[in-house]
């Protein structure tokens, strides 16, 4: 069940990475394309165990090995009995690229963790099992946070409400 749940997220990451690599990684000098050096992304696994605990997740469940990452991406995930959170930092990506991503809809700006974030949903999520938060990172890039239900939860709280609760702690701990 976990692989199915993550498949939409992986597809979104692959598409976003392709957009960044094709559309945003170079500049033109005298008509010649030049690749710009891209800073390494922030490492989401660097969040402290205390932050993860305060977000209501279990720090012992931290996993980065099973996640697929492209160039300029780092991911980490945690869970508890009811929720999964996957956090991916993507160097050089923008919120505008997420807006133009195929299947992304229901965008809303919100204040989470004392920062302006954008939430959205994936059109393939007919049951409301996921919510995505996009957090701008300086100097360039985004953190993409996916919060989803586990297969065993009986909690029916809307996922973006959960994402705001978890995000209030996690987003506040991210670099600006």
């Amino acid at each position: 069940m976990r692989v199915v749940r993550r498949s939409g997220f992986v597809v979104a990451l692959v598409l976003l990475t392709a957009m960044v690599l094709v559309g945003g990684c170079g500049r033109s000098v005298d008509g010649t394309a030049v690749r710009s050096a891209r800073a390494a992304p922030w490492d989401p696994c660097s969040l402290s165990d205390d932050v993860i605990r305060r977000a209501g997740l279990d720090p012992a469940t931290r996993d980065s090995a099973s996640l697929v990452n492209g160039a300029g991406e780092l991911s980490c995930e945690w869970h508890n009995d009811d929720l999964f959170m996957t956090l991916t930092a993507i160097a050089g990506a923008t919120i505008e690229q997420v807006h133009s991503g195929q299947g992304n809809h229901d965008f809303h700006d919100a204040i989470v963790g004392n920062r302006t974030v954008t939430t959205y949903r994936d059109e393939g999520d007919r049951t409301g099992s996921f919510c995505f938060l996009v957090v701008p990172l300086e100097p360039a890039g985004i953190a993409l946070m996916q919060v989803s239900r586990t297969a065993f939860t009986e909690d029916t709280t809307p996922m973006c409400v959960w994402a705001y609760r978890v995000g209030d702690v996690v987003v506040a701990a991210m670099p600006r």
Side-chain angles (χ1 to χ4, degrees):
M1 187 66 128
R2 191 169 169 188
V3 173
V4 172
R5 184 171 297 123
R6 211 179 315 163
S7 65
F9 184 64
V10 171
V11 168
L13 281 177
V14 169
L15 289 173
L16 185 57
T17 300
M19 288 188 302
V20 169
L21 291 176
V22 170
C25 67
R27 64 182 193 279
S28 178
V29 177
D30 295 311
T32 306
V34 177
R35 288 220 176 259
S36 57
R38 180 165 310 182
W42 164 69
D43 184 359
C45 288
S46 68
L47 289 171
S48 72
D49 288 354
D50 181 57
V51 166
I52 298 304
R53 261 190 231 83
R54 285 188 291 122
L57 301 165
D58 181 358
T61 64
R62 184 179 84 182
D63 184 12
S64 63
S66 66
L67 299 172
V68 177
N69 288 106
E73 293 179 17
L74 290 173
S75 294
C76 209
E77 72 178 18
W78 298 266
H79 63 87
N80 64 25
D81 291 339
D82 295 316
L83 301 171
F84 279 102
M85 179 188 72
T86 303
L87 189 57
T88 301
I90 308 170
T94 66
I95 290 176
E96 290 76 22
Q97 289 170 311
V98 174
H99 273 276
S100 65
Q102 184 176 0
N104 298 343
H105 72 101
D106 197 20
F107 291 94
H108 299 282
D109 289 338
I111 302 297
V112 176
N114 292 320
R115 293 171 73 173
T116 301
V117 304
T118 300
T119 63
Y120 73 96
R121 296 196 40 238
D122 180 274
E123 71 182 14
D125 179 23
R126 306 262 185 251
T127 61
S129 297
F130 302 91
C131 184
F132 298 90
L133 271 72
V134 184
V135 183
L137 299 175
E138 295 297 331
I142 60 171
L144 182 59
M145 184 174 120
Q146 174 196 344
V147 178
S148 59
R149 296 186 200 289
T150 66
F152 306 107
T153 188
E154 295 179 12
D155 191 306
T156 58
T157 303
M159 287 316 304
C160 285
V161 170
W162 273 113
Y164 292 155
R165 289 177 190 165
V166 171
D168 271 337
V169 175
V170 172
V171 171
M174 288 181 192
R176 293 224 174 236

